[in-house]
């Protein structure tokens, strides 16, 4: 952002590019300011994200709008288009197998904004509860450990699931339902494929209602409730999500065509 200011002050062009693609579904606190300030052009993954960014900028006070990019553009996302093309025509035979992608642990030194990512203790507590619930439903549970942050091998090994430490690769997850507790890059990659997807909502990031209906057509979002000072998920909601997400995965073509082209 300091470099942005230096270049803009010297009448140079500053071009920034969206990362991940999930911001279109969220109203993350302060994101517009921290991401877009002192840039001249911003490229998004698709037209809906472009519309979303433009609307977020319009909500800013006039003085802040002057510091935002004057041009919001999109070229689509070749990465997601390739995933989409590889999934077309494939018949995914889903088994009673869930691969869970929990968010990474950051420790106290790298602790993130609580409106974006919960604390490690909060995270570990509901992860344990969720995995126990999946185990109780007689599903095979695999845990894809996040490569970033602080590695917590002892914690994940204690949960009873099979641990995956390889790089994220959809080709390795055949016949599975993919579950996420954080809508990041891997989540968006998965959405552009034909995999059944579940997002467990940990309540940290507020959703944007602008394109939330399109997300809900593509994947299951499990809402939390509060118990013992932390969030939990109802067994009936998990069961329903595991069932419904297989049918919703058929909507991946219309979803990708809308958000990545």
């Amino acid at each position: 952002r300091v470099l942005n200011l230096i270049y803009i002050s010297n009448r140079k062009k500053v071009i920034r590019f969206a990362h991940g693609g999930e911001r279109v579904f969220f109203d993350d606190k302060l994101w517009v300011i921290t991401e877009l300030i002192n840039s001249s052009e911003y490229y998004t993954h698709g037209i809906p994200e472009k519309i979303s960014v433009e609307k977020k900028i319009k909500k800013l006070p006039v003085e802040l709008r002057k510091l935002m990019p004057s041009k919001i553009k999109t070229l689509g996302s070749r990465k997601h288009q390739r995933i989409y093309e590889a999934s077309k025509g494939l018949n995914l035979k889903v088994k009673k197998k869930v691969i869970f992608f929990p968010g990474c642990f950051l420790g106290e030194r790298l602790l993130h904004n609580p409106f974006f990512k919960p604390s490690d203790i909060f995270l570990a507590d509901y992860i344990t509860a969720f995995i126990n619930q999946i185990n109780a439903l007689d599903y095979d549970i695999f845990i894809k450990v996040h490569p970033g942050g602080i590695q917590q091998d002892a914690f994940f090994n204690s949960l009873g699931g099979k641990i995956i430490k390889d790089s994220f690769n959809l080709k390795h997850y055949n016949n599975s339902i993919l579950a996420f507790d954080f809508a990041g890059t891997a989540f968006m990659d998965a959405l552009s494929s034909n995999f059944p997807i579940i997002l467990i909502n940990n309540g940290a990031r507020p959703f944007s209602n602008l394109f939330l209906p399109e997300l809900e057509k593509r994947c299951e979002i499990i809402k939390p409730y509060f118990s013992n000072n932390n969030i939990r998920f109802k067994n009936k909601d998990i069961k329903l999500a595991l069932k419904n997400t297989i049918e919703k995965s058929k909507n991946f073509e219309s979803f990708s065509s809308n958000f990545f082209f």
Side-chain angles (χ1 to χ4, degrees):
R1 286 184 287 274
V2 173
L3 285 174
N4 286 359
L5 177 59
I6 293 172
Y7 270 72
I8 287 290
S9 298
N10 285 277
R11 298 183 180 180
K12 301 292 185 181
K13 184 182 292 186
V14 177
I15 303 175
R16 292 184 63 85
F17 300 86
H19 173 74
E22 88 283 358
R23 301 283 184 173
V24 63
F25 301 116
F26 296 94
D27 278 330
D28 291 318
K29 304 292 184 183
L30 302 178
W31 174 82
V32 175
I33 298 174
T34 59
E35 180 72 12
L36 304 181
I37 194 167
N38 292 322
S39 56
S40 45
E41 294 181 12
Y42 187 76
Y43 281 83
T44 69
H45 292 77
I47 293 175
E49 190 178 13
K50 177 181 184 293
I51 294 171
S52 174
V53 171
E54 289 172 338
K55 286 183 176 294
K56 289 172 181 176
I57 290 175
K58 285 181 180 180
K59 292 180 181 179
L60 294 173
V62 175
E63 292 303 311
L64 282 177
R65 287 206 300 268
K66 294 178 181 178
L67 304 177
M68 297 294 112
S70 58
K71 297 179 181 178
I72 310 297
K73 300 181 178 181
T74 180
L75 296 174
S77 172
R78 284 297 304 144
K79 174 188 177 183
H80 294 97
Q81 291 169 20
R82 286 193 293 268
I83 297 173
Y84 162 78
E85 291 295 339
S87 296
K88 287 179 63 177
L90 294 180
N91 184 17
L92 191 67
K93 297 180 180 178
V94 182
K95 299 179 180 179
K96 294 190 71 174
K97 177 181 174 183
V98 174
I99 300 179
F100 180 42
F101 299 78
C104 64
F105 293 98
L106 297 176
E108 293 184 358
R109 186 169 65 88
L110 301 175
L111 188 63
H112 210 294
N113 182 337
F115 292 106
F116 185 78
K117 188 170 180 56
S119 68
D120 289 356
I121 298 300
F122 183 89
L123 188 70
D125 184 56
Y126 77 70
I127 284 175
T128 301
F130 178 73
I131 290 176
N132 287 338
Q133 287 174 286
I134 296 294
N135 272 323
L137 294 174
D138 199 29
Y139 276 74
D140 288 331
I141 180 77
F142 292 74
I143 305 169
K144 171 62 179 72
V145 179
H146 196 289
I150 299 172
Q151 297 303 303
Q152 297 287 356
D153 292 351
F155 167 70
F156 285 116
N157 289 331
S158 72
L159 299 179
K162 302 176 183 67
I163 307 300
I164 302 174
K165 287 193 172 184
D166 298 337
S167 300
F168 180 85
N169 191 334
L170 287 167
K171 294 179 181 178
H172 297 165
Y173 311 139
N174 290 338
N175 310 317
S176 306
I177 295 172
L178 309 185
F180 299 82
D181 72 338
F182 181 80
T185 303
F187 174 73
M188 293 302 292
D189 288 357
L191 287 179
S192 61
S193 74
N194 63 336
F195 277 87
I197 311 295
I198 290 175
L199 175 64
I200 61 173
N201 175 16
N202 61 26
R205 301 172 72 183
F207 284 100
S208 166
N209 291 324
L210 188 60
F211 293 107
L212 180 59
E214 281 76 4
L215 181 62
E216 291 175 321
K217 292 175 184 176
R218 171 61 187 91
C219 74
E220 279 290 302
I221 302 175
I222 305 178
K223 297 178 181 179
Y225 70 95
F226 283 89
S227 175
N228 297 325
N229 297 319
N230 206 337
I231 61 169
R232 290 292 185 266
F233 304 95
K234 295 179 181 179
N235 283 327
K236 65 176 183 179
D237 290 344
I238 294 175
K239 288 180 181 179
L240 194 61
L242 290 167
K243 176 184 176 183
N244 289 348
T245 193
I246 296 173
E247 184 65 26
K248 288 187 176 183
S249 66
K250 298 176 183 177
N251 297 327
F252 84 98
E253 292 193 30
S254 59
F255 181 89
S256 290
S257 297
N258 190 20
F259 286 91
F260 302 124
F261 285 81

